[in-house]
Structure formats: C-alpha cells, structure tokens
Amino acid sequence: MNDISTLLTLARDATAAGAALLTTAEAGVVHRKGDRDFVTELDLEIQETMQRLLRARAPQIAFRGEESITQSWGYGHAERTWVLDPIDGTSNFIHNIPLCAVSLALVYQGSPIIGVIRAPFLGLEYYAAEGQGAYLNDAPISTGRAQHLRDAIISIGDYAVGPGAETKNRTRLAITEALAAVAERVRMLGSAALDLAWAAEGRTDGCIIMSNKQWDMAAGVLIARESGAVVTDSDGSTHDVRSRHTIAANPIISRKLIQLIPTSPG
C-alpha cells in the first residue's frame, strides 16, 4: 500500500473510528502523567483501536502514538511512520469542553505527507495530502488574509506545566502581553491540532505554539501548509521535526508574529 490517495483514505477511516469512540465511549479512569498532565482510559482505547486498524491495512508502516509509546512498532527504523494523538486537548475533554480532536499524520523521512484532524463534537474533519491542498468536510480551505495584527485573531498554545514551567511561562506571558497590545483578539484553544487547523481554515489568522511535539503538530502543520500558510520555528526558519516552536499564518502575519517573540524564547 503505497498510493498516497489510498493512504489518505486509510488515515481518514482510522481517524473516523477514533472520533466515533470519542463521542460515544466513557472517558473512564483519568490517570495523572505528570504535573497537570492527564491521560484517560479512552485515550488509550482510541489509540489501540486506531493502531490495530492501521496495522491491519498497512503493516509495513511504523507507528508512534502519544500514549503507551512502548506499544509502538518500527518507530525509528522506517521511512514512513503514523504519528497519532488520540485525544488532542485531553484536559478540554475531561472538562466537557468540545475543543478536542483526534490527530493523525503519516510522516515520511521526518516530514508529514498526510494529515487528518477530526473534531467530532464540532462536526469538523480537516485533511490534507502533500501537494493536494487542504480540506474541511471535503471543501477546500485556505489560510486567512489579514494583513495587520489589529485585524487578526491569533491563538496561542497552552502555558507550560511540569519541570521548568515557571521559566517557560515567562516567555509565554511576554508573548501574550505583546499580542494583547496589537492583535484584534488573542485566544487559547487548548488543542494544538485545532490551533493549526483553524489557522489553515482562516477561522483564526495565525497561531503561536511554544512547543513542537510531533503527535501534536504533524497533521496540523501539513494541513496549514497545504492551505497556503507559512509554518516556521520562532526564528523564522522552516518548521520541521527539529524545530523548538510552531508558528503558522499567512506570510505577512507570520513575519509580524515572529517579531513579537523574544530572541531567546523558553
């Protein structure tokens, strides 16, 4: 199974299966992974369900999921890897906030070539394949066209938790303050997948996420790029798996966002 259209269909099927569980199954026991970082039994169930489907139909492709990474197969030894966040926005989900999504990407030699993000409580499915454009519910999408931050709604990623959070959050708070002074509005969605998908759709005009975990970003980065957004690190370099941070917007807004980020961000 090598045809990208066939693999996109598989990715959409797997994500639909995960999203169906997200809306119908119980969250189950909530476990603490770390400081203010949680995983539910449903996270694990969705990952296991999607993992089985992907392996049954494309056993030659490696797999990496955010949860129970020890159950991954072939990661680091294959050119192609499925990368999954079974519930992006777990804290939102736990608190019955509908801003959460299943996010799946196919990564080839470190770069995403297929991305699917499904937010079932909102009725939204975003998807893209490299070179084929980005889509929402089967209609093409394009990134926002704002030219000035005063006309732009910008979303920012979550504040840091865990070790080093205080230091990291000084930078995040500084960025929030800088944006509050110039942007039309600032939003925090609590889901990196939706930060990127909404920047791709033009629902927001851009996003600043001060992290770069592959399961959070891979699908959304591709969807944003295929919509016409520029996706960079905070220094303006092209975003890839080695980037520290993730900024997405149209070219003009992207430059303006990068200018707001401290030169040595945490």
Side-chain angles (χ1 to χ4, degrees):
M1 180 183 285
N2 294 304
D3 177 75
I4 196 164
S5 296
T6 303
L7 290 170
L8 176 59
T9 297
L10 171 55
R12 293 180 68 187
D13 288 348
T15 307
L21 283 171
L22 184 56
T23 56
T24 59
E26 296 294 328
V29 177
V30 178
H31 301 279
R32 186 182 296 274
K33 295 196 292 183
D35 173 36
R36 292 167 287 168
D37 188 15
F38 303 97
V39 60
T40 70
E41 289 185 332
L42 185 55
D43 284 90
L44 301 174
E45 182 180 357
I46 291 172
Q47 177 162 307
E48 290 166 3
T49 297
M50 294 178 65
Q51 183 176 352
R52 285 195 301 270
L53 192 159
L54 293 166
R55 191 168 195 177
R57 289 171 56 179
Q60 75 282 14
I61 299 177
F63 176 88
R64 187 188 194 193
E66 178 181 8
E67 315 302 345
S68 301
I69 289 175
T70 56
Q71 297 179 13
S72 305
W73 77 82
Y75 184 75
H77 302 286
E79 287 189 324
R80 296 183 299 173
T81 304
W82 297 111
V83 179
L84 171 67
D85 190 340
I87 305 178
D88 185 68
T90 297
S91 287
N92 282 351
F93 172 68
I94 292 168
H95 290 275
N96 295 314
I97 298 171
L99 299 178
C100 52
V102 181
S103 179
L104 176 67
L106 179 60
V107 174
Y108 175 69
Q109 295 182 342
S111 297
I113 60 171
I114 287 173
V116 183
I117 294 170
R118 199 163 186 126
F121 297 111
L122 305 176
L124 303 175
E125 184 205 22
Y126 299 88
Y127 64 90
E130 188 176 44
Q132 297 184 19
Y135 296 84
L136 165 60
N137 296 347
D138 295 326
I141 57 173
S142 59
T143 195
R145 298 183 178 180
Q147 303 293 291
H148 305 282
L149 284 173
R150 65 174 178 267
D151 302 317
I153 292 181
I154 305 299
S155 70
I156 56 175
D158 276 339
Y159 294 125
V161 297
E166 183 177 355
T167 299
K168 293 175 183 177
N169 283 332
R170 291 193 191 104
T171 298
R172 288 158 171 77
L173 288 166
I175 292 169
T176 303
E177 183 177 9
L179 278 171
V182 294
E184 179 183 337
R185 290 291 187 273
V186 181
R187 298 288 182 256
M188 182 180 284
L189 306 179
S191 164
L194 289 178
D195 282 319
L196 288 159
W198 284 11
E201 182 191 354
R203 191 179 292 240
T204 63
D205 296 287
C207 62
I208 298 176
I209 307 168
M210 300 303 287
S211 64
N212 184 31
K213 295 176 181 176
Q214 197 172 40
W215 49 80
D216 289 334
M217 307 302 170
V221 164
L222 179 66
I223 292 166
R225 281 187 176 141
E226 289 293 319
S227 78
V230 174
V231 188
T232 72
D233 200 345
S234 54
D235 62 1
S237 61
T238 299
H239 186 278
D240 61 25
V241 294
R242 295 174 295 277
S243 298
R244 294 179 64 198
H245 310 122
T246 310
I247 293 87
N250 72 46
I252 292 175
I253 294 297
S254 173
R255 288 194 295 271
K256 294 178 185 296
L257 294 179
I258 290 167
Q259 290 169 2
L260 295 178
I261 298 173
T263 54
S264 299

